[in-house]
Amino acid sequence: MKILVQKFGGTSVSTKEKRKLVASKVINAKAEGYLPVVVVSAMGRKGEPYATDTLLSQIDDDFKLANPLAIDLLMSCGEIISTVIMCNELNNNKIGTLPLTGGQAGIITDSRYTNAAILNVDTKRILSILKSGKVPVVAGFQGMDDKGYVTTIGRGGSDVTAALLGAALNAVEVQIYTDVDGIMTADPRIVSEATLIKKISYDEIFQFADQGAKVIHPRAVEICKKNNIPLVIKNTMNECDGTVISNFDSEDDNNIITGITHMNNRVQIKVTKNSGSSYDDLFDILAENFISIDLINVFPKEKIFTIDEKDFTKFTDLTKELNISYSYVSDCSKLAIIGSKMRGIPGVMARILKALTKQKIEVLQTADSHMTIWCLVETKDAQEAIIALHREFKLG
Ligand code: ADP
Ligand code: MG
């Protein structure tokens, strides 16, 4: 059985016109002898009637806090609506279908509502639908716990649903259809000169995904890598080949940088040592309070790191309790300059800093690993910084 998982994101299923294009991708896959398993996201983005954020905006924050199980039931609706409407479109094209919730598709999770972990994928029902010649259309981003309650698996989770089904069904490929041609050298909404990356390794794309490029969920990359399933990112609106992700290095000429991505809403914190405080235990205390930190630099009398803006109030409350003094810079963006070929090549950091200084952009902090260099800048400078670096490394 040549099973092909095809996942269509929110914008791909948002209008009748686009759903016709989705149907054509499924028809083509069938014509080529594949057995497609379709995964869909909720239709459209925030503001549109059935988008996840729109559904969430209908209930109060205090109700949300106290009722994660109810939130999951609400959030799961967007994808469920999508499955039925997509089945309708496929039906118009004479393709027999069966719409399935995540739970009906066999996706079993733990009970951590709103961010559940997948425990098992039971493929029995999907396999029997495929054997009957029909196309299963599965609601992404959701599963079911052992008590039968609906769960969701975290934002962007439809990519994860597709990867999980791909692995469990031993699919020949997982295709992620979206509103861009594939993975680009930078977010095309930010850098108009961004170009398509045709081939890239799981490891490099993981860095992109993990460091803020929304286009694919990092967990989906991990699952496909672990199961050695080719992952392809394509545009629903055209016939472009897209980005193929596999075990190879990006083939792109000799460029040491593959692309640039970024993450907003970072706060840079500088904590100074003052006697009698819990300074030495600070990182333990932050971990106990589920505040995750990064870009960590430790000096004898100072610790510098960044946290997500959403944790800042919790952080300030803790510092009052612990008598810790600190200063901070809010509205920061963490740029990630990614390239597996930069390892061992001297002068990359120098080039980055020079390119940014030339644009009079202040770099607040840097860090590096074998495949990525990070630069923290103020968010007001982020777009200009990304464009400058994109030009410096001739990615356009
Ligand atoms: P979907 O609804 O199809 O899942 P997403 O919004 O999750 O779509 O992801 C697609 C978006 O990712 C694009 O519209 C683009 O703006 C953004 N994006 C960010 N970084 C990149 C990148 N390096 N390459 C391509 N797209 C990117
Ligand atoms: Mg997405």
Side-chain angles (χ1 to χ4, degrees), residues 188-237:
R189 286 176 212 247
I190 290 181
V191 183
S192 58
E193 299 157 12
T195 51
L196 178 69
I197 299 168
K198 291 185 178 153
K199 281 173 142 192
I200 190 167
S201 66
Y202 295 113
D203 291 340
E204 263 186 309
I205 210 62
F206 179 82
Q207 282 296 308
F208 267 82
D210 196 45
Q211 296 302 315
K214 241 173 114 203
V215 61
I216 177 82
H217 195 295
R219 185 84 189 99
V221 179
E222 276 179 335
I223 294 165
C224 287
K225 177 182 175 174
K226 189 166 162 232
N227 294 279
N228 209 14
I229 298 175
L231 181 61
V232 185
I233 321 274
K234 285 168 172 265
N235 195 336
T236 304
M237 318 314 156

mmCIF file of all heavy atoms in Angstrom, residues 188-237:
data_model
loop_
_atom_site.group_PDB
_atom_site.id
_atom_site.type_symbol
_atom_site.label_atom_id
_atom_site.label_comp_id
_atom_site.label_asym_id
_atom_site.label_seq_id
_atom_site.Cartn_x
_atom_site.Cartn_y
_atom_site.Cartn_z
ATOM 1 N N PRO A 188 8.788 34.967 3.959
ATOM 2 C CA PRO A 188 8.545 35.857 2.819
ATOM 3 C C PRO A 188 7.677 37.074 3.175
ATOM 4 O O PRO A 188 7.684 38.057 2.455
ATOM 5 C CB PRO A 188 7.833 34.954 1.804
ATOM 6 C CG PRO A 188 7.336 33.790 2.583
ATOM 7 C CD PRO A 188 8.253 33.620 3.746
ATOM 8 N N ARG A 189 6.986 37.005 4.298
ATOM 9 C CA ARG A 189 6.215 38.184 4.732
ATOM 10 C C ARG A 189 7.139 39.283 5.248
ATOM 11 O O ARG A 189 6.743 40.435 5.365
ATOM 12 C CB ARG A 189 5.277 37.810 5.882
ATOM 13 C CG ARG A 189 4.083 37.008 5.443
ATOM 14 C CD ARG A 189 3.298 36.616 6.688
ATOM 15 N NE ARG A 189 2.664 35.344 6.464
ATOM 16 C CZ ARG A 189 1.352 35.199 6.388
ATOM 17 N NH1 ARG A 189 0.562 36.227 6.529
ATOM 18 N NH2 ARG A 189 0.839 34.001 6.180
ATOM 19 N N ILE A 190 8.364 38.877 5.620
ATOM 20 C CA ILE A 190 9.305 39.850 6.188
ATOM 21 C C ILE A 190 10.363 40.256 5.165
ATOM 22 O O ILE A 190 10.767 41.402 5.078
ATOM 23 C CB ILE A 190 9.967 39.241 7.445
ATOM 24 C CG1 ILE A 190 8.903 39.157 8.535
ATOM 25 C CG2 ILE A 190 11.157 40.052 7.905
ATOM 26 C CD1 ILE A 190 9.410 38.613 9.815
ATOM 27 N N VAL A 191 10.815 39.262 4.388
ATOM 28 C CA VAL A 191 11.874 39.528 3.410
ATOM 29 C C VAL A 191 11.323 39.204 2.020
ATOM 30 O O VAL A 191 11.149 38.027 1.669
ATOM 31 C CB VAL A 191 13.119 38.645 3.699
ATOM 32 C CG1 VAL A 191 14.245 38.963 2.726
ATOM 33 C CG2 VAL A 191 13.586 38.830 5.129
ATOM 34 N N SER A 192 11.063 40.224 1.239
ATOM 35 C CA SER A 192 10.460 39.975 -0.079
ATOM 36 C C SER A 192 11.434 39.232 -1.003
ATOM 37 O O SER A 192 11.014 38.580 -1.942
ATOM 38 C CB SER A 192 10.011 41.285 -0.708
ATOM 39 O OG SER A 192 11.113 42.146 -0.828
ATOM 40 N N GLU A 193 12.736 39.342 -0.724
ATOM 41 C CA GLU A 193 13.721 38.671 -1.584
ATOM 42 C C GLU A 193 13.944 37.201 -1.190
ATOM 43 O O GLU A 193 14.773 36.527 -1.796
ATOM 44 C CB GLU A 193 15.087 39.371 -1.467
ATOM 45 C CG GLU A 193 15.081 40.815 -1.900
ATOM 46 C CD GLU A 193 16.224 41.622 -1.270
ATOM 47 O OE1 GLU A 193 17.156 41.031 -0.686
ATOM 48 O OE2 GLU A 193 16.166 42.852 -1.370
ATOM 49 N N ALA A 194 13.232 36.709 -0.204
ATOM 50 C CA ALA A 194 13.455 35.328 0.260
ATOM 51 C C ALA A 194 13.272 34.332 -0.885
ATOM 52 O O ALA A 194 12.391 34.506 -1.726
ATOM 53 C CB ALA A 194 12.486 35.008 1.396
ATOM 54 N N THR A 195 14.116 33.305 -0.916
ATOM 55 C CA THR A 195 14.014 32.312 -1.995
ATOM 56 C C THR A 195 13.692 30.934 -1.413
ATOM 57 O O THR A 195 13.932 30.667 -0.235
ATOM 58 C CB THR A 195 15.334 32.223 -2.789
ATOM 59 O OG1 THR A 195 16.403 32.044 -1.853
ATOM 60 C CG2 THR A 195 15.577 33.492 -3.596
ATOM 61 N N LEU A 196 13.190 30.075 -2.288
ATOM 62 C CA LEU A 196 12.784 28.736 -1.860
ATOM 63 C C LEU A 196 14.009 27.841 -1.617
ATOM 64 O O LEU A 196 14.948 27.851 -2.402
ATOM 65 C CB LEU A 196 11.910 28.114 -2.960
ATOM 66 C CG LEU A 196 11.426 26.698 -2.702
ATOM 67 C CD1 LEU A 196 10.411 26.671 -1.567
ATOM 68 C CD2 LEU A 196 10.810 26.100 -3.958
ATOM 69 N N ILE A 197 13.960 27.089 -0.540
ATOM 70 C CA ILE A 197 14.995 26.076 -0.287
ATOM 71 C C ILE A 197 14.423 24.757 -0.816
ATOM 72 O O ILE A 197 13.409 24.273 -0.313
ATOM 73 C CB ILE A 197 15.291 25.970 1.227
ATOM 74 C CG1 ILE A 197 15.795 27.311 1.758
ATOM 75 C CG2 ILE A 197 16.300 24.859 1.503
ATOM 76 C CD1 ILE A 197 15.831 27.404 3.286
ATOM 77 N N LYS A 198 15.064 24.187 -1.841
ATOM 78 C CA LYS A 198 14.451 23.009 -2.478
ATOM 79 C C LYS A 198 14.658 21.720 -1.685
ATOM 80 O O LYS A 198 13.777 20.868 -1.638
ATOM 81 C CB LYS A 198 15.007 22.852 -3.894
ATOM 82 C CG LYS A 198 14.509 23.973 -4.804
ATOM 83 C CD LYS A 198 14.960 23.749 -6.214
ATOM 84 C CE LYS A 198 14.398 24.851 -7.106
ATOM 85 N NZ LYS A 198 15.234 25.080 -8.269
ATOM 86 N N LYS A 199 15.862 21.599 -1.110
ATOM 87 C CA LYS A 199 16.156 20.392 -0.331
ATOM 88 C C LYS A 199 16.826 20.815 0.958
ATOM 89 O O LYS A 199 17.669 21.708 0.946
ATOM 90 C CB LYS A 199 17.172 19.521 -1.097
ATOM 91 C CG LYS A 199 16.624 18.697 -2.215
ATOM 92 C CD LYS A 199 17.801 18.075 -2.927
ATOM 93 C CE LYS A 199 17.514 16.660 -3.382
ATOM 94 N NZ LYS A 199 18.765 15.990 -3.802
ATOM 95 N N ILE A 200 16.487 20.147 2.020
ATOM 96 C CA ILE A 200 17.090 20.520 3.309
ATOM 97 C C ILE A 200 17.027 19.300 4.239
ATOM 98 O O ILE A 200 16.170 18.431 4.070
ATOM 99 C CB ILE A 200 16.368 21.767 3.892
ATOM 100 C CG1 ILE A 200 17.106 22.347 5.091
ATOM 101 C CG2 ILE A 200 14.929 21.477 4.228
ATOM 102 C CD1 ILE A 200 16.621 23.741 5.496
ATOM 103 N N SER A 201 17.953 19.258 5.189
ATOM 104 C CA SER A 201 17.974 18.103 6.101
ATOM 105 C C SER A 201 16.968 18.299 7.234
ATOM 106 O O SER A 201 16.591 19.420 7.562
ATOM 107 C CB SER A 201 19.370 17.937 6.696
ATOM 108 O OG SER A 201 19.669 19.038 7.518
ATOM 109 N N TYR A 202 16.575 17.179 7.837
ATOM 110 C CA TYR A 202 15.677 17.245 8.997
ATOM 111 C C TYR A 202 16.279 18.152 10.078
ATOM 112 O O TYR A 202 15.579 18.924 10.705
ATOM 113 C CB TYR A 202 15.482 15.856 9.618
ATOM 114 C CG TYR A 202 14.777 14.830 8.780
ATOM 115 C CD1 TYR A 202 15.448 13.710 8.313
ATOM 116 C CD2 TYR A 202 13.425 14.948 8.491
ATOM 117 C CE1 TYR A 202 14.802 12.732 7.575
ATOM 118 C CE2 TYR A 202 12.761 13.986 7.756
ATOM 119 C CZ TYR A 202 13.454 12.879 7.295
ATOM 120 O OH TYR A 202 12.814 11.923 6.561
ATOM 121 N N ASP A 203 17.600 18.019 10.292
ATOM 122 C CA ASP A 203 18.220 18.753 11.400
ATOM 123 C C ASP A 203 18.157 20.257 11.176
ATOM 124 O O ASP A 203 17.861 21.021 12.100
ATOM 125 C CB ASP A 203 19.682 18.316 11.589
ATOM 126 C CG ASP A 203 19.752 16.892 12.104
ATOM 127 O OD1 ASP A 203 18.732 16.428 12.657
ATOM 128 O OD2 ASP A 203 20.806 16.244 11.944
ATOM 129 N N GLU A 204 18.435 20.669 9.938
ATOM 130 C CA GLU A 204 18.397 22.108 9.680
ATOM 131 C C GLU A 204 16.966 22.642 9.782
ATOM 132 O O GLU A 204 16.721 23.705 10.334
ATOM 133 C CB GLU A 204 18.960 22.416 8.288
ATOM 134 C CG GLU A 204 20.424 22.821 8.325
ATOM 135 C CD GLU A 204 20.927 23.255 6.966
ATOM 136 O OE1 GLU A 204 20.728 22.506 5.991
ATOM 137 O OE2 GLU A 204 21.512 24.336 6.880
ATOM 138 N N ILE A 205 16.031 21.899 9.234
ATOM 139 C CA ILE A 205 14.651 22.383 9.256
ATOM 140 C C ILE A 205 14.114 22.390 10.682
ATOM 141 O O ILE A 205 13.319 23.257 11.053
ATOM 142 C CB ILE A 205 13.752 21.551 8.306
ATOM 143 C CG1 ILE A 205 12.640 22.442 7.794
ATOM 144 C CG2 ILE A 205 13.172 20.353 8.920
ATOM 145 C CD1 ILE A 205 13.100 23.595 7.017
ATOM 146 N N PHE A 206 14.597 21.460 11.487
ATOM 147 C CA PHE A 206 14.185 21.463 12.889
ATOM 148 C C PHE A 206 14.575 22.788 13.543
ATOM 149 O O PHE A 206 13.805 23.386 14.292
ATOM 150 C CB PHE A 206 14.802 20.284 13.649
ATOM 151 C CG PHE A 206 14.405 20.278 15.090
ATOM 152 C CD1 PHE A 206 13.182 19.753 15.479
ATOM 153 C CD2 PHE A 206 15.218 20.861 16.058
ATOM 154 C CE1 PHE A 206 12.779 19.794 16.814
ATOM 155 C CE2 PHE A 206 14.820 20.920 17.380
ATOM 156 C CZ PHE A 206 13.608 20.371 17.749
ATOM 157 N N GLN A 207 15.798 23.252 13.252
ATOM 158 C CA GLN A 207 16.248 24.528 13.799
ATOM 159 C C GLN A 207 15.325 25.663 13.366
ATOM 160 O O GLN A 207 14.937 26.501 14.165
ATOM 161 C CB GLN A 207 17.673 24.844 13.320
ATOM 162 C CG GLN A 207 18.743 24.095 14.060
ATOM 163 C CD GLN A 207 18.778 24.490 15.533
ATOM 164 O OE1 GLN A 207 18.839 25.662 15.874
ATOM 165 N NE2 GLN A 207 18.703 23.515 16.409
ATOM 166 N N PHE A 208 14.978 25.681 12.080
ATOM 167 C CA PHE A 208 14.054 26.704 11.568
ATOM 168 C C PHE A 208 12.758 26.684 12.371
ATOM 169 O O PHE A 208 12.271 27.701 12.850
ATOM 170 C CB PHE A 208 13.682 26.408 10.101
ATOM 171 C CG PHE A 208 14.551 27.093 9.102
ATOM 172 C CD1 PHE A 208 15.774 26.553 8.752
ATOM 173 C CD2 PHE A 208 14.144 28.271 8.502
ATOM 174 C CE1 PHE A 208 16.577 27.177 7.819
ATOM 175 C CE2 PHE A 208 14.939 28.900 7.570
ATOM 176 C CZ PHE A 208 16.156 28.355 7.221
ATOM 177 N N ALA A 209 12.195 25.476 12.481
ATOM 178 C CA ALA A 209 10.881 25.324 13.108
ATOM 179 C C ALA A 209 10.951 25.675 14.588
ATOM 180 O O ALA A 209 10.095 26.380 15.119
ATOM 181 C CB ALA A 209 10.382 23.898 12.913
ATOM 182 N N ASP A 210 11.996 25.200 15.230
ATOM 183 C CA ASP A 210 12.136 25.395 16.669
ATOM 184 C C ASP A 210 12.407 26.863 17.011
ATOM 185 O O ASP A 210 12.090 27.312 18.098
ATOM 186 C CB ASP A 210 13.289 24.510 17.157
ATOM 187 C CG ASP A 210 13.263 24.336 18.647
ATOM 188 O OD1 ASP A 210 12.166 24.091 19.179
ATOM 189 O OD2 ASP A 210 14.321 24.466 19.289
ATOM 190 N N GLN A 211 12.997 27.589 16.086
ATOM 191 C CA GLN A 211 13.389 28.973 16.361
ATOM 192 C C GLN A 211 12.397 29.988 15.795
ATOM 193 O O GLN A 211 12.760 31.138 15.611
ATOM 194 C CB GLN A 211 14.810 29.230 15.830
ATOM 195 C CG GLN A 211 15.868 28.396 16.527
ATOM 196 C CD GLN A 211 15.875 28.642 18.033
ATOM 197 O OE1 GLN A 211 15.817 29.763 18.497
ATOM 198 N NE2 GLN A 211 15.896 27.573 18.814
ATOM 199 N N GLY A 212 11.211 29.536 15.442
ATOM 200 C CA GLY A 212 10.168 30.516 15.154
ATOM 201 C C GLY A 212 9.534 30.456 13.779
ATOM 202 O O GLY A 212 8.502 31.081 13.575
ATOM 203 N N ALA A 213 10.125 29.747 12.810
ATOM 204 C CA ALA A 213 9.486 29.691 11.485
ATOM 205 C C ALA A 213 8.234 28.835 11.616
ATOM 206 O O ALA A 213 8.303 27.645 11.850
ATOM 207 C CB ALA A 213 10.431 29.096 10.449
ATOM 208 N N LYS A 214 7.098 29.459 11.463
ATOM 209 C CA LYS A 214 5.814 28.815 11.723
ATOM 210 C C LYS A 214 5.501 27.694 10.744
ATOM 211 O O LYS A 214 4.645 26.853 11.000
ATOM 212 C CB LYS A 214 4.753 29.892 11.475
ATOM 213 C CG LYS A 214 3.920 30.238 12.609
ATOM 214 C CD LYS A 214 3.067 31.426 12.232
ATOM 215 C CE LYS A 214 1.620 31.035 12.201
ATOM 216 N NZ LYS A 214 0.829 31.906 11.361
ATOM 217 N N VAL A 215 6.156 27.730 9.620
ATOM 218 C CA VAL A 215 5.725 26.945 8.456
ATOM 219 C C VAL A 215 5.615 25.430 8.713
ATOM 220 O O VAL A 215 4.808 24.756 8.098
ATOM 221 C CB VAL A 215 6.615 27.304 7.234
ATOM 222 C CG1 VAL A 215 8.068 26.970 7.502
ATOM 223 C CG2 VAL A 215 6.120 26.693 5.963
ATOM 224 N N ILE A 216 6.369 24.912 9.678
ATOM 225 C CA ILE A 216 6.226 23.491 10.053
ATOM 226 C C ILE A 216 6.489 23.365 11.551
ATOM 227 O O ILE A 216 7.330 24.057 12.103
ATOM 228 C CB ILE A 216 7.196 22.598 9.226
ATOM 229 C CG1 ILE A 216 7.128 21.117 9.636
ATOM 230 C CG2 ILE A 216 8.646 23.057 9.330
ATOM 231 C CD1 ILE A 216 5.995 20.370 9.019
ATOM 232 N N HIS A 217 5.764 22.442 12.189
ATOM 233 C CA HIS A 217 5.926 22.244 13.635
ATOM 234 C C HIS A 217 7.187 21.403 13.893
ATOM 235 O O HIS A 217 7.381 20.373 13.249
ATOM 236 C CB HIS A 217 4.686 21.509 14.160
ATOM 237 C CG HIS A 217 4.545 21.557 15.644
ATOM 238 N ND1 HIS A 217 5.442 20.956 16.492
ATOM 239 C CD2 HIS A 217 3.629 22.159 16.449
ATOM 240 C CE1 HIS A 217 5.081 21.161 17.742
ATOM 241 N NE2 HIS A 217 3.971 21.900 17.735
ATOM 242 N N PRO A 218 8.038 21.838 14.846
ATOM 243 C CA PRO A 218 9.283 21.086 15.088
ATOM 244 C C PRO A 218 9.055 19.610 15.423
ATOM 245 O O PRO A 218 9.826 18.739 15.015
ATOM 246 C CB PRO A 218 9.946 21.824 16.255
ATOM 247 C CG PRO A 218 8.941 22.793 16.776
ATOM 248 C CD PRO A 218 7.948 23.042 15.685
ATOM 249 N N ARG A 219 7.981 19.335 16.146
ATOM 250 C CA ARG A 219 7.699 17.943 16.539
ATOM 251 C C ARG A 219 7.411 17.080 15.294
ATOM 252 O O ARG A 219 7.785 15.920 15.245
ATOM 253 C CB ARG A 219 6.481 17.984 17.486
ATOM 254 C CG ARG A 219 6.092 16.702 18.111
ATOM 255 C CD ARG A 219 6.883 16.359 19.362
ATOM 256 N NE ARG A 219 6.553 14.993 19.737
ATOM 257 C CZ ARG A 219 7.291 13.936 19.446
ATOM 258 N NH1 ARG A 219 8.441 14.064 18.840
ATOM 259 N NH2 ARG A 219 6.896 12.727 19.783
ATOM 260 N N ALA A 220 6.773 17.683 14.300
ATOM 261 C CA ALA A 220 6.474 16.940 13.064
ATOM 262 C C ALA A 220 7.785 16.561 12.375
ATOM 263 O O ALA A 220 7.920 15.455 11.830
ATOM 264 C CB ALA A 220 5.603 17.789 12.141
ATOM 265 N N VAL A 221 8.747 17.463 12.428
ATOM 266 C CA VAL A 221 10.057 17.183 11.822
ATOM 267 C C VAL A 221 10.721 16.024 12.561
ATOM 268 O O VAL A 221 11.238 15.082 11.949
ATOM 269 C CB VAL A 221 10.966 18.441 11.870
ATOM 270 C CG1 VAL A 221 12.327 18.141 11.274
ATOM 271 C CG2 VAL A 221 10.292 19.611 11.161
ATOM 272 N N GLU A 222 10.677 16.086 13.885
ATOM 273 C CA GLU A 222 11.296 15.027 14.708
ATOM 274 C C GLU A 222 10.695 13.657 14.400
ATOM 275 O O GLU A 222 11.405 12.659 14.256
ATOM 276 C CB GLU A 222 11.053 15.318 16.193
ATOM 277 C CG GLU A 222 12.028 16.269 16.808
ATOM 278 C CD GLU A 222 11.708 16.523 18.286
ATOM 279 O OE1 GLU A 222 10.538 16.373 18.713
ATOM 280 O OE2 GLU A 222 12.629 16.896 19.001
ATOM 281 N N ILE A 223 9.363 13.624 14.312
ATOM 282 C CA ILE A 223 8.678 12.340 14.086
ATOM 283 C C ILE A 223 9.074 11.772 12.720
ATOM 284 O O ILE A 223 9.380 10.572 12.594
ATOM 285 C CB ILE A 223 7.143 12.513 14.180
ATOM 286 C CG1 ILE A 223 6.758 12.891 15.615
ATOM 287 C CG2 ILE A 223 6.408 11.247 13.739
ATOM 288 C CD1 ILE A 223 5.344 13.444 15.749
ATOM 289 N N CYS A 224 9.087 12.624 11.700
ATOM 290 C CA CYS A 224 9.452 12.136 10.355
ATOM 291 C C CYS A 224 10.910 11.695 10.320
ATOM 292 O O CYS A 224 11.250 10.699 9.694
ATOM 293 C CB CYS A 224 9.186 13.212 9.302
ATOM 294 S SG CYS A 224 7.421 13.419 9.008
ATOM 295 N N LYS A 225 11.769 12.439 11.009
ATOM 296 C CA LYS A 225 13.186 12.054 11.030
ATOM 297 C C LYS A 225 13.344 10.679 11.694
ATOM 298 O O LYS A 225 14.000 9.790 11.148
ATOM 299 C CB LYS A 225 14.004 13.101 11.801
ATOM 300 C CG LYS A 225 15.461 12.695 11.899
ATOM 301 C CD LYS A 225 16.331 13.636 12.668
ATOM 302 C CE LYS A 225 17.713 12.963 12.755
ATOM 303 N NZ LYS A 225 18.726 13.776 13.347
ATOM 304 N N LYS A 226 12.717 10.520 12.848
ATOM 305 C CA LYS A 226 12.839 9.280 13.609
ATOM 306 C C LYS A 226 12.370 8.085 12.784
ATOM 307 O O LYS A 226 12.924 6.994 12.857
ATOM 308 C CB LYS A 226 12.017 9.409 14.887
ATOM 309 C CG LYS A 226 12.234 8.291 15.859
ATOM 310 C CD LYS A 226 11.676 8.620 17.225
ATOM 311 C CE LYS A 226 11.516 7.346 18.018
ATOM 312 N NZ LYS A 226 10.176 7.200 18.584
ATOM 313 N N ASN A 227 11.337 8.302 11.978
ATOM 314 C CA ASN A 227 10.767 7.200 11.200
ATOM 315 C C ASN A 227 11.242 7.186 9.754
ATOM 316 O O ASN A 227 10.750 6.402 8.945
ATOM 317 C CB ASN A 227 9.242 7.284 11.261
ATOM 318 C CG ASN A 227 8.727 7.032 12.669
ATOM 319 O OD1 ASN A 227 8.607 5.899 13.092
ATOM 320 N ND2 ASN A 227 8.482 8.094 13.419
ATOM 321 N N ASN A 228 12.192 8.112 9.475
ATOM 322 C CA ASN A 228 12.789 8.185 8.142
ATOM 323 C C ASN A 228 11.725 8.336 7.034
ATOM 324 O O ASN A 228 11.789 7.674 6.006
ATOM 325 C CB ASN A 228 13.640 6.932 7.915
ATOM 326 C CG ASN A 228 14.772 7.230 6.961
ATOM 327 O OD1 ASN A 228 15.063 8.399 6.693
ATOM 328 N ND2 ASN A 228 15.383 6.198 6.426
ATOM 329 N N ILE A 229 10.771 9.212 7.282
ATOM 330 C CA ILE A 229 9.722 9.460 6.281
ATOM 331 C C ILE A 229 9.990 10.810 5.627
ATOM 332 O O ILE A 229 10.109 11.824 6.328
ATOM 333 C CB ILE A 229 8.329 9.475 6.931
ATOM 334 C CG1 ILE A 229 8.050 8.103 7.544
ATOM 335 C CG2 ILE A 229 7.232 9.849 5.925
ATOM 336 C CD1 ILE A 229 6.777 8.038 8.315
ATOM 337 N N PRO A 230 10.110 10.849 4.294
ATOM 338 C CA PRO A 230 10.302 12.143 3.635
ATOM 339 C C PRO A 230 9.138 13.075 3.927
ATOM 340 O O PRO A 230 7.978 12.667 3.930
ATOM 341 C CB PRO A 230 10.356 11.788 2.147
ATOM 342 C CG PRO A 230 10.609 10.330 2.083
ATOM 343 C CD PRO A 230 10.058 9.738 3.356
ATOM 344 N N LEU A 231 9.502 14.330 4.189
ATOM 345 C CA LEU A 231 8.515 15.354 4.513
ATOM 346 C C LEU A 231 8.635 16.415 3.424
ATOM 347 O O LEU A 231 9.745 16.820 3.088
ATOM 348 C CB LEU A 231 8.907 15.914 5.881
ATOM 349 C CG LEU A 231 8.104 16.997 6.555
ATOM 350 C CD1 LEU A 231 6.687 16.539 6.816
ATOM 351 C CD2 LEU A 231 8.767 17.379 7.879
ATOM 352 N N VAL A 232 7.510 16.801 2.841
ATOM 353 C CA VAL A 232 7.554 17.784 1.755
ATOM 354 C C VAL A 232 6.613 18.935 2.101
ATOM 355 O O VAL A 232 5.481 18.706 2.516
ATOM 356 C CB VAL A 232 7.130 17.136 0.408
ATOM 357 C CG1 VAL A 232 7.305 18.123 -0.731
ATOM 358 C CG2 VAL A 232 7.938 15.883 0.137
ATOM 359 N N ILE A 233 7.091 20.167 1.955
ATOM 360 C CA ILE A 233 6.245 21.346 2.192
ATOM 361 C C ILE A 233 5.904 21.950 0.835
ATOM 362 O O ILE A 233 6.815 22.223 0.039
ATOM 363 C CB ILE A 233 6.980 22.431 3.018
ATOM 364 C CG1 ILE A 233 7.837 21.834 4.118
ATOM 365 C CG2 ILE A 233 6.004 23.493 3.513
ATOM 366 C CD1 ILE A 233 7.184 21.554 5.393
ATOM 367 N N LYS A 234 4.628 22.137 0.554
ATOM 368 C CA LYS A 234 4.209 22.608 -0.767
ATOM 369 C C LYS A 234 3.157 23.702 -0.658
ATOM 370 O O LYS A 234 2.496 23.832 0.364
ATOM 371 C CB LYS A 234 3.585 21.445 -1.557
ATOM 372 C CG LYS A 234 4.579 20.432 -2.089
ATOM 373 C CD LYS A 234 3.796 19.219 -2.564
ATOM 374 C CE LYS A 234 4.649 18.209 -3.284
ATOM 375 N NZ LYS A 234 4.651 18.355 -4.729
ATOM 376 N N ASN A 235 2.952 24.378 -1.763
ATOM 377 C CA ASN A 235 1.934 25.422 -1.841
ATOM 378 C C ASN A 235 0.644 24.839 -2.436
ATOM 379 O O ASN A 235 0.669 24.245 -3.517
ATOM 380 C CB ASN A 235 2.460 26.562 -2.726
ATOM 381 C CG ASN A 235 1.641 27.819 -2.574
ATOM 382 O OD1 ASN A 235 0.470 27.775 -2.199
ATOM 383 N ND2 ASN A 235 2.261 28.950 -2.870
ATOM 384 N N THR A 236 -0.464 25.028 -1.715
ATOM 385 C CA THR A 236 -1.749 24.533 -2.229
ATOM 386 C C THR A 236 -2.141 25.254 -3.520
ATOM 387 O O THR A 236 -2.813 24.684 -4.374
ATOM 388 C CB THR A 236 -2.860 24.771 -1.178
ATOM 389 O OG1 THR A 236 -2.455 24.150 0.027
ATOM 390 C CG2 THR A 236 -4.197 24.180 -1.604
ATOM 391 N N MET A 237 -1.692 26.505 -3.633
ATOM 392 C CA MET A 237 -2.165 27.345 -4.739
ATOM 393 C C MET A 237 -1.434 27.107 -6.060
ATOM 394 O O MET A 237 -1.812 27.678 -7.070
ATOM 395 C CB MET A 237 -2.049 28.849 -4.415
ATOM 396 C CG MET A 237 -2.439 29.288 -3.036
ATOM 397 S SD MET A 237 -3.969 28.623 -2.419
ATOM 398 C CE MET A 237 -3.678 28.776 -0.662
#
